[in-house]
Amino acid sequence: MKKVAFAALCAAFGIMHTLLFYQQQWGINLFIFETPLFLLLYLYNKPLFSNRTPLLLLAGCFSSMLAVLITHSSLSCVVHTLFFVLLGGATLQPINNPAAYFVSAFEKIPQLLLLPFSKQKTTAPDKNYHTTFVLRATIVPLLIIIVFIYFYSLAVPRFGKLLDDFFQIFPQLNLTTIWLFISGSALAIFILRIPKSNTTSNFDAVQPNTLQRTRSPRRFKPLTLGLKKEHLSVLILLAGLNILIAIINCLDIASYWFSYDPLSYEDMKVLVHEGTYLLIFCIMLSVGVVLYAFRRNLNFYPGNKTLRYLGIAWMVQNGIMVLSVAWRNYWYIQSYNLAYKRIAVLVFLAATLFGIVTVILKIQQRKTGYRLLTLNSSFVLLLLAAVSFVNWDLLITRYNLKHKDIAYIHKNYLVDMSNAALPVLVEYQDYFDTPIEKQMNYNHLYRKYGDSGTYKRIIVAKAKEFITQQEKRHWLSYNLSDAKTIEHLRLKGY
């Protein structure tokens, strides 16, 4: 594609971005903006998608877009942003590791920012300015000027008023529309401009999936002397660690797997908050020990069969510890209901369990650490794509209120949930007809709705505010979660 045509195309996406997202939230407009963007990316860069990883990222973008349309949660928006950034890190030289796309994307950003200052080759003998040069020479200065105009308008009230008077002449032109145009054009450039290669893609291309034995020239000592010492040291280490973790696992299984009766809230708090985080750290450290032990020629040592069995046993026992941490979390949920951190622990444990399985495969099949990073980053992306389809605010609120008679209810926490939880909160609003108990973490809630009265008053105010906001929304902001919430509130007379 010619440079002028590419600049015009990106400007068109900037205009489209402004029209679709001005005073609107993410919804159908996200599909309308990004679908043609991804189609153009595919049509003009078909060789890029001969590799499975870009296809995974493209599928992740569409999947997370669907999750935004269904749940419209903060998590789904963050996951979609992540997939978008990763896809922007693609190069024509294949990259197999999804984690490497993240590095490649950040490598690409400064290149795009410096693009207007790159040297331009020209064959024109009279040195006339080309259209592309004029565009590149003016865009960056204009952007910098706009940034300073914005900050000066905030710092100098009279200048801000003068700026407002100017924008009243052009009611559709303001700093928001200018920003939407610039950001939309920048997003189009970020996705559609695909470099042939970069430092990250070159590094990924030379990374093997399977370990290779490296030989060094013999000098004064036999080659295997150092390896024998390392083998013996690691053997003693893994044998001792296996005995130690076996004792810990036996204690955990006896204490938490079948029943648990905490002495007090402090006992439960130490068990879950401090104990869980420390055990997770120990599991990560254990994985690091095995990766270090089986990083090089020890994988090819003739008598390493016992060592490999000890390494696998160590990982299996760490898998049992993961289950013990999950049981701790389960007992905490039984007493104090669901919360985002408790769910995050379970998601993290699922990723950790998969990581332990891949470490066992590394020991058995002599895979490299880079190959493990590829497998685990792919699994984490799939896991994030899956959990983004769950409306967690609604699920947490419904679960907690159904168990209000047998577990602790944190009313401040539930009332502060997003609008997706309003149908359940309205259904149980009489339960919240109690005086507000002030807590520092929820000062933003009190500033908005007041710290006097009852929780029910806050719920009613949030519902009315949500109805008012949605009446101002365009169909471009439509999403299934808000539509269901509106429908439920209408049935309740709001």
Side-chain angles (χ1 to χ4, degrees):
M1 185 182 295
K2 293 182 178 181
K3 295 177 181 178
V4 176
F6 181 76
L9 179 64
C10 293
F13 273 105
I15 295 171
M16 185 192 300
H17 189 256
T18 306
L19 296 175
L20 292 175
F21 292 95
Y22 182 65
Q23 295 183 340
Q24 302 298 324
Q25 62 183 4
W26 282 11
I28 291 179
N29 48 12
L30 197 63
F31 273 90
I32 298 174
F33 176 74
E34 292 190 358
T35 300
L37 193 64
F38 294 146
L39 287 176
L40 284 172
L41 174 66
Y42 179 81
L43 290 174
Y44 282 95
N45 300 278
K46 287 185 178 180
L48 172 67
F49 295 96
S50 59
N51 187 293
R52 288 183 299 177
T53 309
L55 284 174
L56 169 67
L57 297 178
L58 185 61
C61 284
F62 280 106
S63 172
S64 54
M65 268 198 290
L66 185 60
V68 170
L69 188 61
I70 294 173
T71 67
H72 201 258
S73 64
S74 299
L75 176 62
S76 61
C77 294
V78 169
V79 171
H80 178 68
T81 303
L82 174 63
F83 275 107
F84 190 92
V85 170
L86 291 175
L87 187 60
T91 62
L92 292 179
Q93 182 178 355
I95 301 177
N96 296 310
N97 192 333
Y101 280 82
F102 192 74
V103 180
S104 178
F106 278 89
E107 186 180 350
K108 184 179 182 179
I109 291 172
Q111 294 174 356
L112 295 179
L113 292 176
L114 295 173
L115 190 62
F117 304 104
S118 59
K119 293 181 179 180
Q120 301 300 310
K121 294 180 180 179
T122 177
T123 56
D126 55 355
K127 298 183 180 180
N128 289 332
Y129 290 114
H130 288 255
T131 307
T132 53
F133 173 79
V134 173
L135 288 172
R136 293 181 177 196
T138 55
I139 282 179
V140 170
L142 284 174
L143 289 177
I144 295 174
I145 290 170
I146 289 170
V147 170
F148 273 95
I149 287 174
Y150 174 72
F151 284 111
Y152 284 152
S153 67
L154 295 178
V156 184
R158 294 183 64 181
F159 179 72
K161 186 178 183 305
L162 184 65
L163 203 62
D164 290 338
D165 294 339
F166 171 77
F167 283 133
Q168 285 179 1
I169 303 173
F170 308 97
Q172 298 303 321
L173 182 66
N174 52 52
L175 290 177
T176 304
T177 55
I178 293 172
W179 165 248
L180 286 171
F181 172 77
I182 294 171
S183 58
S185 302
L187 290 174
I189 296 171
F190 181 67
I191 288 295
L192 296 179
R193 188 178 178 84
I194 305 296
K196 292 182 179 179
S197 63
N198 57 20
T199 306
T200 306
S201 64
N202 293 334
F203 176 80
D204 182 87
V206 298
Q207 297 304 310
N209 290 330
T210 306
L211 286 169
Q212 303 294 326
R213 185 173 183 178
T214 56
R215 297 180 180 273
S216 57
R218 297 188 182 186
R219 293 186 179 178
F220 304 104
K221 295 182 180 181
L223 176 64
T224 57
L225 184 60
L227 204 56
K228 283 181 180 179
K229 288 182 179 179
E230 184 179 353
H231 175 264
L232 179 61
S233 177
V234 175
L235 196 66
I236 295 171
L237 174 65
L238 289 180
L241 288 175
N242 268 288
I243 295 171
L244 179 62
I245 198 173
I247 296 172
I248 300 297
N249 282 334
C250 288
L251 291 173
D252 273 358
I253 290 171
S255 301
Y256 311 123
W257 279 46
F258 304 106
S259 63
Y260 178 66
D261 186 19
L263 298 176
S264 64
Y265 169 73
E266 289 301 321
D267 181 34
M268 178 70 82
K269 184 178 179 181
V270 170
L271 170 74
V272 175
H273 289 184
E274 298 177 15
T276 296
Y277 297 145
L278 286 173
L279 285 179
I280 289 174
F281 174 75
C282 289
I283 292 167
M284 296 293 99
L285 192 61
S286 302
V287 171
V289 168
V290 172
L291 290 177
Y292 182 81
F294 291 91
R295 71 195 186 284
R296 291 181 184 171
N297 287 345
L298 205 56
N299 291 274
F300 306 96
Y301 187 73
N304 72 347
K305 190 174 182 180
T306 303
L307 185 66
R308 286 192 292 112
Y309 285 154
L310 285 173
I312 292 172
W314 172 242
M315 284 294 96
V316 170
Q317 292 209 76
N318 273 276
I320 295 172
M321 184 175 281
V322 168
L323 297 178
S324 294
V325 174
W327 273 113
R328 288 170 180 245
N329 206 38
Y330 167 78
W331 290 118
Y332 195 64
I333 290 171
Q334 288 293 302
S335 298
Y336 296 98
N337 274 318
L338 284 175
Y340 264 105
K341 285 186 179 180
R342 292 154 213 169
I343 294 171
V345 166
L346 294 176
V347 173
F348 180 81
L349 291 177
T352 304
L353 204 57
F354 180 84
I356 288 173
V357 173
T358 59
V359 172
I360 293 174
L361 291 176
K362 169 189 168 49
I363 297 172
Q364 291 179 328
Q365 302 175 8
R366 299 171 179 171
K367 297 297 182 182
T368 62
Y370 195 77
R371 177 59 179 168
L372 260 64
L373 181 61
T374 301
L375 292 173
N376 282 278
S377 57
S378 299
F379 178 79
V380 168
L381 289 177
L382 292 173
L383 186 62
L384 287 175
V387 299
S388 66
F389 277 92
V390 181
N391 196 326
W392 293 107
D393 281 15
L394 184 61
L395 186 148
I396 291 171
T397 307
R398 180 179 287 122
Y399 177 90
N400 289 5
L401 289 173
K402 280 186 177 180
H403 296 81
K404 59 185 174 62
D405 298 326
I406 59 175
Y408 173 74
I409 293 290
H410 191 182
K411 291 184 178 179
N412 279 302
Y413 180 73
L414 293 182
V415 170
D416 196 36
M417 285 288 183
S418 69
N419 293 322
L422 279 174
V424 181
L425 291 174
V426 169
E427 185 179 344
Y428 286 87
Q429 61 181 337
D430 292 336
Y431 175 75
F432 288 92
D433 197 10
T434 56
I436 296 171
E437 298 177 7
K438 294 178 65 176
Q439 292 179 322
M440 288 186 61
N441 292 341
Y442 299 93
N443 282 336
H444 63 280
L445 189 67
Y446 310 141
R447 284 195 297 268
K448 189 172 185 179
Y449 299 105
D451 56 0
S452 60
T454 64
Y455 291 107
K456 179 179 178 179
R457 182 183 60 80
I458 295 179
I459 294 172
V460 172
K462 283 185 70 174
K464 290 180 178 179
E465 182 186 35
F466 176 72
I467 292 287
T468 303
Q469 288 176 348
Q470 292 303 307
E471 287 174 348
K472 298 177 182 178
R473 299 290 186 193
H474 195 269
W475 63 268
L476 291 169
S477 298
Y478 175 87
N479 63 81
L480 196 59
S481 176
D482 286 351
K484 286 185 176 180
T485 302
I486 284 285
E487 182 181 359
H488 185 90
L489 293 178
R490 293 297 189 195
L491 291 174
K492 292 293 182 180
Y494 284 90

